Amino acid sequence: MEIDSATNGNSDAVMTESSATITSSPVVVPASRSNQFTESLKLEHQLLRVPFEHYKKTIRTNHRSFEKEVSTVVNGVGELADSDWSKDVTVSRLTSLVTRLQGLKRKLEEGSNVENLQAQRCRARIDHLDSVDVENITEWNNTKLKRILVDYMLRMSYFETATKLSESSNILDLVDIDIFREAKKVIDALKNREVASALAWCADNKTRLKKSKSKFEFQLRLQEFIELVRVDTAESYQKAIQYARKHLASWGATHMNELQHVLATLAFKSTTECLKYKVLFEPQQWDVLVDQFKKEFCKLYGMTMEPLLNIYLQAGLSALKTPYPSNSIKFDVFNCLFSASENKVAESNFSKRHPNVIFTGGLRLYLDMSQIWF
């Protein structure tokens, strides 16, 4: 029987060749890990949507400002061409138009800088999402955790702390400090029973609010009307009627029932005991406006209503498993971030899945890691 020369050759050479082949082969990422990356990136919708919406808003604002100023200048030049004014008046008006154009140039330069900054922010976030890899997943997750913490701080109005954490972690392009500051100004104004800032915000976002069929501006107008009626003087009633004709009449086609309900306060007044109308004069109506603004603001920018930290914590607590159902495991938690209602939700969700684990509510867990795993 003949022996195959390949199998009966130099075994050392064969082994060397084989190990060289093994060493040079690329590292294959497990399919489960790759799917995990993909699913994780699906949760980053807000990270890209917020700066993109802000970028579009800035472009629209700059465009409207440019059209308004150019239209004014063109009309001014047309008036000069058709008039028989003296030389001094014509020169004076032309000088005024030139000054206006110079002001427009400065505004366009400032607007261009803002647009470039926001485009840079969008690019930084795309690069950040594109950088996730099996080799740097730990670092990437640490950055994500800091983003989530900054998001929570901004929603709780801890702006200085959020800014310092963002600067120290070099994630300023990955968080939305300026957008939350804008929202905070409107919220503070509403808490002080002032609607001017909120109405200005509605005017800036009028097109998008109209597309989403928002009633927020209408509710602000109704509240202004109520405040005029609350004064309870003949002059204030006259102002309320004029205000209704100017700002509320146009809403009658779509919100007639609500409009009639509020207009009836002219007859019932702020001292009425009729519950249907008395509730319109309650201070809590301003809290309703604050909540409504938060909903509209989050909807406009594609944000979640709840802080991301709460969402991830609730999801994590719901996903906890224990391989020892016979043992009762107790873990204690600092109640530093969850509100009472959120503790209740977390406790309910957790207890349904883990009846043998004693939940004491909150954030930081003290537990035996050999018995509980994520």
Side-chain angles (χ1 to χ4, degrees), residues 131-360:
S131 67
V132 61
D133 197 310
V134 67
E135 297 178 357
N136 68 344
I137 188 63
T138 302
E139 180 183 353
W140 196 87
N141 282 334
N142 286 336
T143 302
K144 181 177 181 179
L145 175 60
K146 292 173 183 177
R147 289 195 290 107
I148 292 172
L149 291 174
V150 170
D151 173 82
Y152 181 86
M153 293 174 187
L154 293 174
R155 291 174 187 260
M156 299 297 109
S157 301
Y158 304 140
F159 291 103
E160 291 185 10
T161 306
T163 302
K164 289 180 180 179
L165 176 59
S166 302
E167 290 175 346
S168 62
S169 305
N170 195 27
I171 58 172
L172 280 173
D173 285 337
L174 305 180
V175 294
D176 306 298
I177 297 176
D178 51 342
I179 295 176
F180 278 101
R181 284 189 185 277
E182 172 191 342
K184 184 65 165 55
K185 292 178 182 178
V186 178
I187 291 172
D188 288 344
L190 290 174
K191 288 181 178 180
N192 292 328
R193 303 189 180 186
E194 300 173 359
V195 300
S197 296
L199 288 173
W201 182 83
C202 289
D204 290 339
N205 301 279
K206 187 174 183 178
T207 303
R208 299 202 58 206
L209 292 174
K210 186 176 181 180
K211 285 183 179 179
S212 64
K213 298 181 180 179
S214 169
K215 299 197 304 181
F216 183 54
E217 183 180 355
F218 176 60
Q219 291 171 325
L220 291 172
R221 297 294 184 184
L222 291 181
Q223 191 61 42
E224 271 202 309
F225 178 85
I226 290 293
E227 294 305 314
L228 289 172
V229 175
R230 190 194 302 275
V231 179
D232 197 16
T233 63
E235 184 180 357
S236 67
Y237 286 132
Q238 185 63 33
K239 288 182 179 179
I241 293 171
Q242 293 173 355
Y243 184 88
R245 288 172 177 169
K246 182 178 181 180
H247 298 291
L248 295 177
S250 59
W251 296 89
T254 53
H255 302 88
M256 180 56 74
N257 291 337
E258 296 174 65
L259 186 57
Q260 289 176 337
H261 182 206
V262 172
L263 290 177
T265 55
L266 287 169
F268 284 88
K269 302 183 180 181
S270 60
T271 55
T272 182
E273 291 300 323
C274 180
L275 186 60
K276 182 178 180 180
Y277 298 100
K278 182 179 181 180
V279 68
L280 296 175
F281 294 97
E282 295 290 338
Q284 288 77 11
Q285 292 297 319
W286 288 99
D287 297 331
V288 173
L289 288 177
V290 171
D291 292 338
Q292 183 63 29
F293 170 73
K294 290 178 180 179
K295 290 179 182 178
E296 297 293 346
F297 180 82
C298 291
K299 185 177 180 181
L300 192 72
Y301 285 106
M303 295 181 180
T304 58
M305 278 297 296
E306 285 286 324
L308 294 175
L309 181 60
N310 291 7
I311 294 173
Y312 279 99
L313 281 174
Q314 290 175 15
L317 289 172
S318 298
L320 278 176
K321 300 178 182 179
T322 171
Y324 301 103
S326 59
N327 296 332
S328 179
I329 305 167
K330 179 177 180 179
F331 59 90
D332 199 1
V333 180
F334 282 122
N335 189 13
C336 58
L337 288 182
F338 280 171
S339 65
S341 61
E342 289 160 352
N343 272 330
K344 197 170 182 179
V345 171
E347 181 176 358
S348 174
N349 292 338
F350 188 82
S351 299
K352 287 178 183 177
R353 297 192 57 168
H354 313 286
N356 296 301
V357 179
I358 302 172
F359 185 91
T360 56

